[in-house]
Amino acid sequence: MRYALVSENVKENNIGDLGCFNDFNTLASIPKLYFETNEKMAIDPSLDEYEKALQIGKFLRLNMKGGTGLGLSSEKTLEIMLANKGGVCSDFSQIFNIFCLINGIKVKEWGCIDRVYKTEFGHSFNEIYSSGKQKWIAIDIHKGIVFTKEAGLPLSAIELFSELRKGNHVDFTHYTEYISRDHHRTPNVFSATTIPFIISNNRNDVTDYYFEKYQNSISPILINSLILLLRKNHKFIFVMDDYKAKLFPKWMQ
């Protein structure tokens, strides 16, 4: 039901019109805890965005063990993750978006899935823009990896899945000492049959407002339903596949 309500198809050559997290959010909407935590990272502002992103990713994986899924306001999510009491891939992507915004890094959030019915996995990762390399670069904060090909050239999300679908080899390169316990499953999550999508219209101030107001009284799924009902929800934008044909049986298409 969720995918049916929030998904759209957009042609790959129009991907630039979708914007990024920075286009929908401002520094004024970011909780103070993020700025306090960002100071501990001591990021050199002269570094290229790619190097900054790797430094953020290293800090997050060094200081956060992760755990169960949260799906709360951005401040509550960061608070719990710093206390090592939870956090899955989508939670890591959520807070990474905000740290990128603070450090002037253009960032997008991506998701990928194998199928809707009897799904084996759903996963979130990110993509940042590097001025030095003049391209978008995919980065998986939760797994601590980037995707490279040909002498370590980092790949964008589109390049990653295009290479995989062509049957070409892609290196999953760890940029941190952290190695996930299920790292052997990474080639299954990022494969030729995986269906990627951009998570667009992700308004941190909107989700924070409703979660801070209701997260102590009703479940996250009901809060998300309310946001959807008010048409303030994010969108899943499929740029490489027709989501209806890929995700639903023919009678639903």
Side-chain angles (χ1 to χ4, degrees):
M1 180 67 72
R2 179 189 181 195
Y3 276 89
L5 292 174
V6 305
S7 296
E8 294 181 10
N9 288 318
V10 170
K11 293 183 178 179
E12 185 179 325
N13 56 3
N14 294 328
I15 191 173
D17 298 332
L18 298 176
C20 59
F21 184 81
N22 312 60
D23 296 321
F24 297 102
N25 297 274
T26 65
L27 292 176
S29 67
I30 305 304
K32 182 180 178 181
L33 180 60
Y34 279 87
F35 293 97
E36 294 173 346
T37 306
N38 189 72
E39 290 182 2
K40 298 177 182 178
M41 299 182 192
I43 297 174
D44 183 348
S46 67
L47 293 174
D48 179 69
E49 294 92 340
Y50 182 48
E51 298 301 325
K52 291 180 183 178
L54 294 181
Q55 189 171 337
I56 295 170
K58 290 177 182 178
F59 178 89
L60 297 183
R61 285 283 31 171
L62 178 64
N63 292 277
M64 299 175 181
K65 295 180 180 179
T68 57
L70 302 175
L72 301 170
S73 68
S74 60
E75 183 173 23
K76 193 66 174 178
T77 296
L78 180 58
E79 180 184 316
I80 292 174
M81 293 180 72
L82 286 172
N84 290 318
K85 295 182 179 180
V88 293
C89 57
S90 57
D91 300 308
F92 275 92
S93 291
Q94 176 191 12
I95 64 173
F96 178 72
N97 284 335
I98 297 175
F99 285 117
C100 283
L101 179 65
I102 291 174
N103 289 282
I105 306 168
K106 290 184 178 180
V107 62
K108 296 178 182 178
E109 185 174 350
W110 285 76
C112 59
I113 194 171
D114 58 339
R115 56 185 180 271
V116 170
Y117 295 103
K118 298 182 179 179
T119 181
E120 292 184 4
F121 68 84
H123 187 61
S124 296
F125 63 103
N126 298 83
E127 187 179 46
I128 60 95
Y129 186 78
S130 164
S131 298
K133 299 183 183 298
Q134 295 189 328
K135 64 175 300 185
W136 287 93
I137 299 173
I139 179 170
D140 190 322
I141 300 301
H142 182 258
K143 295 183 180 297
I145 58 176
V146 292
F147 311 90
T148 59
K149 184 177 183 291
E150 297 178 357
L153 177 67
L155 301 175
S156 69
I158 292 292
E159 289 172 337
L160 165 63
F161 288 100
S162 294
E163 291 294 327
L164 292 171
R165 292 183 180 192
K166 291 175 185 176
N168 296 333
H169 176 74
V170 172
D171 289 316
F172 303 142
T173 306
H174 286 87
Y175 62 84
T176 174
E177 295 180 0
Y178 170 81
I179 305 293
S180 64
R181 289 176 294 180
D182 62 348
H183 66 93
H184 58 281
R185 296 185 68 243
T186 301
N188 296 328
V189 175
F190 297 100
S191 73
T193 58
T194 302
I195 307 165
F197 54 89
I198 295 176
I199 302 174
S200 183
N201 193 40
N202 191 351
R203 293 279 304 276
N204 191 69
D205 58 343
V206 170
T207 54
D208 274 3
Y209 173 79
Y210 288 100
F211 273 92
E212 287 171 359
K213 188 173 183 179
Y214 298 114
Q215 65 190 2
N216 294 324
S217 56
I218 62 177
S219 69
I221 191 171
L222 291 178
I223 300 174
N224 280 314
S225 298
L226 173 62
I227 294 173
L228 184 62
L229 182 64
L230 296 173
R231 297 184 179 182
K232 297 179 180 292
N233 57 286
H234 58 256
K235 298 178 181 179
F236 293 165
I237 309 295
F238 290 79
V239 295
M240 297 183 70
D241 306 278
D242 180 342
Y243 78 90
K244 293 181 181 179
K246 285 286 186 177
L247 300 177
F248 303 127
K250 288 185 178 180
W251 68 268
M252 284 188 66
Q253 294 176 28

